[in-house]
Amino acid sequence: MAALGLAPALGSESTPVSALEVARALGALQAQDYGSGVWSLGVRSGLTLAEVEQAVERREVVRTWPMRGTIHWVPAEDARWMCQLLAAPRGAALATRYAQLGIVEGDIELAGRLFEEHLAEPMSRPEVIALLVDAGIDPTDQRAYHLVGHHCMTGLLCQGPVIGKQPSFVLIDSWVPHSRKLSREEGLATMAERYLRGHGPVTEKDLAGWLTKPLGLVREALSLVEQQVTREEVDGRVWLSHIHGPGDGCVNHSARGALGHSGVHLLPQWDEFLLGYKSRDVTLPPEHFHRVVPGRNMVFKPTLVIDGEVAGTWRRAQRSRQTVVEVTPFVPLGAARWRDVERAATAYGRFLGVDVEVVRLDPDGVA
């Protein structure tokens, strides 16, 4: 929890930190859903939604496709080299999908030329789709999504600010004032160091899963920062920590929760707390996995986390003009814990800029 910037949080309402600091601290934060992604930044920084969006406007952080074929928040200055080093726009899985959709090399090249010509300023998703249609490219069945994603993975594009309620896309060269240039070794070392510092303790397989890279590459990356790594075997697993991470590198626990009590958090659907690891059994009890991922299809529900362990789920709902947070714990909560949930919901409401009412549901989902 401490490494993940949650307990204690990196920033608070009284002493917030920037979205850029959060992105640097964790390396990247999964953000394919916009509402989930902005709360991942907000819950750690003490910023409001408006302030996170201002950080995007100031070009501190961007959303793009650096790894795992999905969207993450990353420091704007690192977006290009991260995509070029870690993304796999020519990977076998995408090649298969392109073939299924009838996307050919000519479509990819034409889309790239269109983007270079027209996306010097942010363009909303509907406008980008119209651009493809006008050029004779069929955008249906996620073809537009894959073409845009491909050119984000190559480092040509990134997402800009939201336009209306739509994501926008823009040339990185036009949007990002300064893109860092790192060698392959510098990039691998940076990602390994940030991951260890922002997620530890972890295993080699956790880092391999986070990057979707083979263990050989992961071990190469770790060797580049070996002087900053501590290793400890617990219950047959070798855990890696950063020497300057929380607890000074001591793996004095059997799970990734904070040492002692870390409080109550309402975490977003796609958060590094679960998505940042290959092994989730230490924070999500296996008997409750189906309640967080009911389809067992990697579509997660937002989670109630108590003292470093998933203890329930929640969802935001709109009732008339009232924003409510429906909380379903896995086991009944006492009065003190419900007060903690209320405080967490109040923090979420402050982030959104609205008053929030908590609706208490029993473990069966009944109010």
Side-chain angles (χ1 to χ4, degrees):
M1 296 292 283
L4 286 162
L6 291 168
L10 293 172
S12 64
E13 178 181 356
S14 58
T15 56
V17 301
S18 69
L20 176 57
E21 289 177 81
V22 175
R24 281 177 177 162
L26 273 74
L29 295 89
Q30 192 160 331
Q32 68 264 48
D33 175 79
Y34 184 76
S36 172
V38 290
W39 179 227
S40 282
L41 291 174
V43 71
R44 292 170 168 84
S45 64
L47 299 175
T48 64
L49 172 59
E51 290 167 335
V52 169
E53 292 183 332
Q54 288 166 12
V56 176
E57 293 278 2
R58 290 194 299 268
R59 309 174 192 207
E60 295 179 11
V61 294
V62 297
R63 287 203 306 163
T64 192
W65 279 257
M67 54 198 188
R68 301 206 303 276
T70 194
I71 305 173
H72 290 72
W73 288 114
V74 299
E77 65 187 8
D78 296 324
R80 176 187 282 111
W81 71 257
M82 287 179 66
C83 287
Q84 292 176 341
L85 176 66
L86 302 172
R90 303 286 181 178
L94 279 178
T96 299
R97 183 60 178 149
Y98 290 174
Q100 292 171 345
L101 295 173
I103 295 175
V104 298
E105 191 63 32
D107 297 326
I108 294 171
E109 293 177 356
L110 175 56
R113 292 196 297 271
L114 292 170
F115 298 154
E116 288 179 333
E117 182 179 350
H118 294 280
L119 268 62
E121 295 293 331
M123 182 177 286
S124 71
R125 178 166 55 191
E127 292 172 320
V128 171
I129 291 174
L131 187 68
L132 296 174
V133 170
D134 288 345
I137 296 176
D138 179 5
T140 61
D141 293 330
Q142 291 197 316
R143 291 181 182 86
Y145 172 88
H146 283 290
L147 289 170
V148 170
H150 176 95
H151 289 288
C152 285
M153 291 184 212
T154 65
L156 178 68
L157 303 178
C158 65
Q159 287 198 7
V162 172
I163 297 177
K165 294 186 178 181
Q166 292 290 336
S168 70
F169 300 91
V170 62
L171 295 172
I172 285 185
D173 278 346
S174 297
W175 185 250
V176 178
H178 169 69
S179 286
R180 295 205 300 157
K181 296 181 180 180
L182 274 63
S183 69
R184 176 181 178 277
E185 290 73 22
E186 289 170 334
L188 289 175
T190 297
M191 293 310 298
E193 193 272 339
R194 287 180 176 177
Y195 182 73
L196 286 175
R197 191 187 286 266
H199 293 74
V202 297
T203 66
E204 289 182 345
K205 289 184 179 180
D206 286 326
L207 179 52
W210 193 64
L211 297 174
T212 318
K213 296 296 180 184
L215 279 173
L217 184 72
V218 165
R219 288 167 181 157
E220 178 188 354
L222 290 169
S223 72
L224 296 170
V225 293
E226 188 61 38
Q227 297 304 311
Q228 302 175 60
V229 181
T230 64
R231 300 171 185 265
E232 183 173 346
E233 185 172 341
V234 178
D235 297 332
R237 293 193 207 182
V238 177
W239 296 92
L240 314 178
S241 296
H242 193 282
I243 59 172
H244 299 306
D248 296 324
C250 177
V251 187
N252 187 26
H253 44 71
S254 60
R256 294 192 184 97
L259 304 181
H261 298 289
S262 59
V264 172
H265 296 80
L266 295 174
L267 296 185
Q269 179 179 13
W270 307 103
D271 191 78
E272 290 297 301
F273 180 74
L274 290 179
L275 276 296
Y277 303 93
K278 188 73 171 179
S279 54
R280 304 185 180 98
D281 54 310
V282 293
T283 49
L284 174 56
E287 65 269 24
H288 296 311
F289 180 82
H290 70 284
R291 304 184 71 171
V292 176
V293 193
R296 297 186 180 272
N297 55 0
M298 301 308 291
V299 177
F300 288 69
K301 289 186 175 183
T303 53
L304 166 67
V305 175
I306 298 178
D307 293 338
E309 183 174 293
V310 177
T313 61
W314 65 280
R315 77 181 189 98
R316 173 186 170 187
Q318 201 69 31
R319 296 185 178 178
S320 185
R321 296 182 179 180
Q322 178 70 46
T323 299
V324 301
V325 170
E326 298 177 347
V327 180
T328 307
F330 295 150
V331 298
L333 302 182
R337 277 306 188 201
W338 276 117
R339 287 193 293 271
D340 291 337
V341 171
E342 294 277 355
R343 282 190 285 270
T346 296
Y348 180 58
R350 175 189 166 273
F351 170 77
L352 295 174
V354 299
D355 292 329
V356 169
E357 175 189 349
V358 173
V359 175
R360 304 180 182 187
L361 304 181
D362 65 24
D364 294 322
V366 179

